[in-house]
Amino acid sequence: KAYRRLGLAGAILEELELTARSQGISRLTLVTGKDWLEAIYFYERHGFSLVEHYVDETGTCAVPRRPHA
C-alpha cells in the first residue's frame, strides 16, 4: 500500500474544509464504521471529535464532527 502515509487524505480533508468554509458551511459531520479505527483516529488527529454512534442498515456507524473556528 504505497499510497498510505503520504499525507494525501489529510490534503483532501484540508481542501474539503477550505471549500466548505468558502461556501459558508460552519460544521462538518463525517460518518464511518465504528470498527474503522484507523479512520476514526485519522479524523481525531485532524481535530474531529466522536459525537455519537448509531445503527442503520449498514451496521453501527461512528460520527466524527468538528465545528469550524
Side-chain angles (χ1 to χ4, degrees), residues 37-51:
L37 298 180
E38 286 186 21
I40 293 170
Y41 298 149
F42 167 80
Y43 295 132
E44 289 177 341
R45 282 194 313 274
H46 289 274
F48 287 78
S49 299
L50 190 61
V51 294

Side-chain angles (χ1 to χ4, degrees), residues 5-32:
R5 306 280 183 216
L6 297 176
L8 300 174
I12 291 168
L13 183 59
E14 183 178 329
E15 186 62 32
L16 171 69
E17 290 187 283
L18 289 171
T19 300
R21 282 190 191 107
S22 74
Q23 298 295 315
I25 296 171
S26 62
R27 179 176 65 190
L28 292 179
T29 301
L30 308 168
V31 177
T32 187

